[in-house]
């Protein structure tokens, strides 16, 4: 499978698109200067204890208080709390990690009122970003993620990813990390570490430890609520989680982000640094590579896939609903059961893609085309498990019911990705009425007069619908020729099938659009 990553940077946001086998499978948007991303660590202040929920609301600087449940506090909360109280006091220095005595784990069935009180200062990490009307969800089980491992301060445990299957490799990695990790740090060994040598793992471990220790001096300076450690930029964080040697290209349209990504790739895979490319053409990158077209076709309510079949995707407050329809496939020569099975199996691939693309979380209910045979329903269930195996987000799939309904739960840590694919009509501008068509050519000429006389441009390119282009160039003494004689400027007309019939765009000699 060939993969490409596209990072489109604009003043207001960064848009990241992951392409696999020329199909868009992931789209991530991040506003410039966005806060409260998953992984950010804050020094917060407890605002309210909710004994009935066994949870607390914590002020971390967001407009709504963040939510911390007792089960998310982590077994070593007592040690963390003692460390924070010592670090935030104005007396003495912050204790080094290797000198800290780890307290016993807190009771799994304990009460939050026994550990927290209003006004208490607490160190927390964002586990789920603000979604809809809810504030961030927090955890006190802090972790620093790297490509090959996750560092867990105030712990001595070593865990190995279950995706590393061989017992020999799991034992090798566990013994290796045990021999190099510092005291009072736990480590979660990620799948990417499989087959890696000690030098590479030790280098990353030291980098993660240094990153954690960099926040220790800040604990005395930061007044809660305040950020003490920010996660990587979304582009670098995504690279950390999904990068593989199969990446053919990583295209970036901003030079500073290009350098940042190049440095990161040089650190984890020096031989692949040349795959990072700076896109500097005039045409927008997503338009040049055809990504805009895929976005427009994939984010609507109706999504087509093979042979006329299509999905209808609805979103409610409680869950998401996906309806599978056969469309033109109903006319095929196969019997109903075979036809339904083929459409449902094809739908599985598109549904898995849509879940990743839109980052749909929570409960998803899929209404497949009815199938009467239990064996066929089981085939669809196995197909869905197969196509969702590459989904990094935690999920659980239930078999189809006899009504051919499938339920999927998928972890939600960020707001769902939404792209409005509808456009305001350029002719009526949403009013339902248009200006008289007989005046359209006069409107174009008025703008040409303004460009040539007032702005004094020597060259004008007008992009219009092909029918309008043909009309302007019609005849020996065409309208276009008369304009050239009248204004004594280089005026050109070009056709664009994506422009509506009564729409015109004007460009100067540098091919930059002139906005009126």
């Amino acid at each position: 499978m060939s993969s490409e990553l596209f990072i489109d940077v604009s003043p207001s946001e960064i848009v990241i698109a992951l392409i696999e086998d020329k199909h868009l499978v992931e789209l991530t948007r991040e506003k410039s200067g966005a806060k409260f991303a998953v992984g950010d660590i804050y020094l917060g202040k407890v605002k309210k204890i909710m004994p009935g929920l066994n949870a607390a609301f914590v002020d971390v600087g967001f407009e709504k208080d963040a939510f911390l449940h007792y089960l998310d506090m982590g077994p070593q909360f007592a040690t963390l709390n003692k460390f924070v109280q010592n670090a935030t006091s104005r007396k003495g220095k912050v204790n080094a990690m290797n000198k800290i005595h780890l307290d016993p784990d807190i009771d799994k069935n304990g009460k939050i009122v026994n550990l927290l009180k209003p006004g208490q200062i607490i160190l927390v990490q964002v586990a789920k970003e603000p979604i809809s009307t809810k504030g961030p969800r927090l955890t006190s089980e802090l972790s620093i993620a790297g490509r090959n491992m996750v560092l867990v301060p105030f712990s001595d445990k070593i865990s190995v990813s279950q995706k590393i299957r061989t017992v020999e490799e799991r034992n090798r990695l566990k013994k290796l990390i045990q021999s190099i990790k510092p005291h009072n740090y736990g480590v979660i060994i990620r799948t990417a570490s499989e087959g890696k040598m000690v030098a590479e793992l030790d280098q990353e471990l030291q980098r993660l430890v240094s990153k954690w220790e960099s926040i220790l001096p800040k604990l005395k300076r930061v007044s809660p609520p305040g950020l003490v450690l920010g996660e990587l930029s979304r582009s670098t964080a995504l690279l950390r989680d999904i990068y593989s040697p199969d990446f053919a290209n990583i295209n970036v349209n901003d030079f500073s982000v290009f350098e940042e990504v190049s440095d990161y790739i040089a650190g984890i895979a020096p031989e692949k640094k040349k795959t990072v490319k700076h896109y500097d053409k005039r045409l927008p990158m997503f338009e040049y590579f055809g990504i805009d077209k895929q976005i427009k076709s994939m984010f609507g309510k109706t999504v087509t896939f093979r042979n006329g079949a299509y999905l209808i995707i609805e979103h409610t407050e409680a869950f998401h609903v996906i309806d599978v329809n056969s469309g033109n496939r109903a006319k095929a020569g196969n019997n109903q059961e075979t036809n339904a099975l083929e459409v449902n199996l094809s739908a599985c691939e598109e549904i898995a893609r849509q879940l990743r693309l839109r980052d749909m979380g929570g409960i998803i209910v899929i209404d497949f085309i009815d199938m009467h045979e239990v064996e066929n329903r089981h085939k669809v269930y196995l197909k869905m498990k197969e196509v969702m195996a590459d989904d990094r987000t935690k999920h659980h799939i239930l078999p189809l019911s006899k009504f051919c309904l499938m339920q999927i739960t998928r972890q939600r840590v960020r707001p769902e990705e939404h792209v409005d694919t509808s456009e305001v009509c350029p002719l009526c501008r949403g009013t339902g009425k248009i200006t008289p068509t007989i005046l359209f050519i006069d409107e174009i000429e008025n703008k040409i007069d303004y460009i040539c006389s007032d702005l004094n441009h020597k060259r004008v390119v007008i992009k219009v619908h092909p029918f309008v282009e043909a009309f302007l160039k019609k005849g020996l003494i065409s309208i276009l020729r008369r304009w050239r004689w009248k204004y004594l400027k280089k005026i050109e007309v070009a056709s664009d099938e994506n422009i509506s019939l009564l729409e015109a765009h004007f460009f100067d000699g540098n091919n930059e659009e002139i906005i009126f």
Side-chain angles (χ1 to χ4, degrees):
M1 179 187 299
S2 63
S3 302
E4 283 190 273
L5 196 69
F6 296 86
I7 304 175
D8 182 27
V9 183
S10 66
S12 59
E13 65 179 358
I14 297 178
V15 185
I16 305 167
L18 175 62
I19 305 292
E20 292 180 355
D21 292 334
K22 298 184 180 180
H23 291 291
L24 178 66
V25 295
E26 286 190 34
L27 186 73
T28 306
R29 295 174 182 268
E30 182 182 79
K31 296 291 183 184
S32 298
K35 298 180 180 179
F36 307 101
V38 172
D40 287 350
I41 297 178
Y42 285 85
L43 194 62
K45 183 179 288 187
V46 178
K47 292 294 290 292
K48 188 187 297 183
I49 305 294
M50 306 293 290
L53 298 175
N54 205 17
F57 286 99
V58 182
D59 180 14
V60 291
F62 189 64
E63 58 190 52
K64 295 198 173 183
D65 291 335
F67 183 79
L68 174 66
H69 194 274
Y70 180 85
L71 296 177
D72 295 323
M73 296 179 72
Q76 286 294 329
F77 178 78
T79 306
L80 172 65
N81 186 45
K82 185 171 66 177
F83 172 80
V84 172
Q85 302 311 315
N86 171 262
T88 54
S89 66
R90 299 302 173 186
K91 299 177 183 178
K93 296 182 178 180
V94 180
N95 290 335
M97 289 293 293
N98 58 1
K99 294 181 179 179
I100 294 173
H101 172 71
L102 297 183
D103 289 352
D105 292 355
I106 63 173
D107 183 6
K108 290 182 179 179
N109 301 313
K111 301 295 182 182
I112 200 165
V113 292
N114 298 327
L115 297 176
L116 295 180
K117 59 183 180 182
Q120 182 175 334
I121 295 173
I122 181 174
L123 198 61
V124 289
Q125 188 168 31
V126 176
K128 185 184 291 187
E129 294 179 8
I131 297 174
S132 186
T133 58
K134 300 176 182 178
R137 180 151 185 166
L138 306 175
T139 177
S140 288
E141 194 168 10
L142 309 179
S143 61
I144 312 292
R147 174 160 173 76
N148 299 304
M149 66 189 74
V150 178
L151 184 72
V152 185
F154 309 107
S155 173
D156 268 327
K157 295 180 181 178
I158 298 176
S159 305
V160 184
S161 168
Q162 294 183 356
K163 291 184 179 180
I164 299 178
R165 301 295 184 186
T166 61
V167 177
E168 295 81 3
E169 180 63 8
R170 292 170 64 88
N171 290 337
R172 182 188 77 87
L173 289 170
K174 200 165 186 177
K175 290 178 180 177
L176 192 156
I177 296 297
Q178 184 69 57
S179 66
I180 62 175
K181 82 171 185 67
H183 186 51
N184 288 341
Y185 286 104
V187 174
I188 301 171
I189 302 171
R190 304 182 73 175
T191 311
S193 63
E194 189 170 8
K196 297 293 174 60
M197 295 295 102
V198 62
E200 184 176 350
L201 296 177
D202 182 58
Q203 184 180 18
E204 181 172 56
L205 180 60
Q206 296 306 318
R207 187 166 60 248
L208 295 178
V209 170
S210 298
K211 188 174 181 180
W212 163 255
E213 291 183 345
S214 70
I215 79 169
L216 305 186
K218 296 180 183 178
L219 295 177
K220 283 191 175 294
R221 299 196 303 266
V222 174
S223 298
L227 177 69
V228 292
L229 183 66
E231 175 61 294
L232 297 171
S233 67
R234 187 64 62 87
S235 54
T236 310
L238 187 66
L239 273 174
R240 178 193 65 198
D241 294 336
I242 71 171
Y243 180 79
S244 76
D246 296 332
F247 269 30
N249 292 303
I250 301 172
N251 301 280
V252 189
N253 70 342
D254 180 83
F255 191 73
S256 61
V257 178
F258 162 75
E259 289 185 318
E260 176 189 336
V261 172
S262 296
D263 291 343
Y264 183 78
I265 295 297
I268 63 173
E271 71 282 0
K272 290 290 184 176
K273 185 178 180 180
K274 291 183 178 179
T275 61
V276 185
K277 298 178 179 177
H278 179 226
Y279 178 85
D280 57 0
K281 295 181 174 61
R282 287 183 176 177
L283 199 65
M285 182 170 66
F286 278 19
E287 183 179 344
Y288 181 82
F289 288 102
I291 298 173
D292 270 341
K293 186 175 181 180
Q294 289 201 53
I295 292 174
K296 291 289 186 182
S297 66
M298 300 312 300
F299 274 92
K301 177 180 175 180
T302 302
V303 178
T304 58
F305 56 104
R306 295 181 186 173
N307 301 320
Y310 61 95
L311 306 176
I312 295 179
I313 303 175
E314 298 272 10
H315 309 283
T316 72
E317 188 68 24
F319 52 84
H320 308 278
V321 182
I322 301 177
D323 184 33
V324 180
N325 293 274
S326 59
N328 297 332
R329 287 295 301 267
K331 301 177 183 178
N334 298 330
N335 61 53
Q336 192 275 336
E337 184 77 10
T338 303
N339 188 63
L341 176 61
E342 290 179 358
V343 174
N344 287 340
L345 291 175
S346 298
C348 289
E349 297 181 9
E350 187 58 41
I351 290 169
R353 179 183 171 194
Q354 287 292 327
L355 296 184
R356 289 177 65 188
L357 186 59
R358 303 183 188 218
D359 202 8
M360 293 163 62
I363 300 173
I364 300 108
V365 178
I366 305 168
D367 181 11
F368 284 101
I369 300 172
D370 287 345
M371 296 177 295
H372 301 291
E373 296 182 16
V374 176
E375 182 183 356
N376 289 338
R377 295 202 292 266
H378 187 63
K379 286 180 181 178
V380 173
Y381 169 65
L382 294 179
K383 178 67 173 181
M384 183 60 76
K385 291 190 71 174
E386 176 192 336
V387 294
M388 287 195 67
D390 293 332
D391 193 336
R392 303 186 313 279
T393 303
K394 292 180 182 178
H395 60 271
H396 183 66
I397 305 172
L398 294 181
L400 277 73
S401 69
K402 70 176 183 177
F403 300 112
C404 277
L405 296 177
M406 174 183 284
Q407 298 177 62
I408 299 176
T409 59
R410 190 171 183 271
Q411 186 181 26
R412 190 207 312 249
V413 296
R414 294 186 179 92
E416 179 189 339
E417 190 62 50
H418 173 73
V419 176
D420 189 1
T421 57
S422 60
E423 298 177 354
V424 176
C425 172
L427 305 184
C428 70
R429 293 178 174 83
T431 65
K433 297 181 179 180
I434 63 173
T435 55
T437 56
I438 196 170
L439 302 178
F440 180 57
I441 300 301
D442 292 338
E443 288 178 4
I444 294 178
E445 184 173 358
N446 289 338
K447 291 179 178 178
I448 292 174
D449 181 56
Y450 172 73
I451 293 169
C452 295
S453 303
D454 294 9
L455 300 183
N456 199 28
H457 286 296
K458 295 181 179 179
R459 180 173 181 264
V460 184
V461 178
I462 312 163
K463 289 188 178 180
V464 292
H465 189 277
F467 288 173
V468 178
E469 181 205 26
F471 177 77
L472 293 175
K473 293 180 177 179
K474 178 184 177 183
L476 182 62
I477 305 177
S478 64
I479 295 174
L480 176 60
R481 182 166 291 184
R482 291 203 298 268
W483 285 345
R484 288 172 177 168
W485 290 342
K486 181 177 180 180
Y487 297 104
L488 299 176
K489 304 287 185 180
K490 189 174 182 180
I491 302 173
E492 300 175 19
V493 175
S495 65
D496 188 338
E497 293 181 353
N498 295 318
I499 293 178
S500 62
L501 189 61
L502 298 182
E503 187 181 2
H505 295 270
F506 298 81
F507 297 84
D508 61 18
N510 297 320
N511 202 30
E512 294 183 2
E513 187 169 4
I514 302 169
I515 307 299
F516 294 90

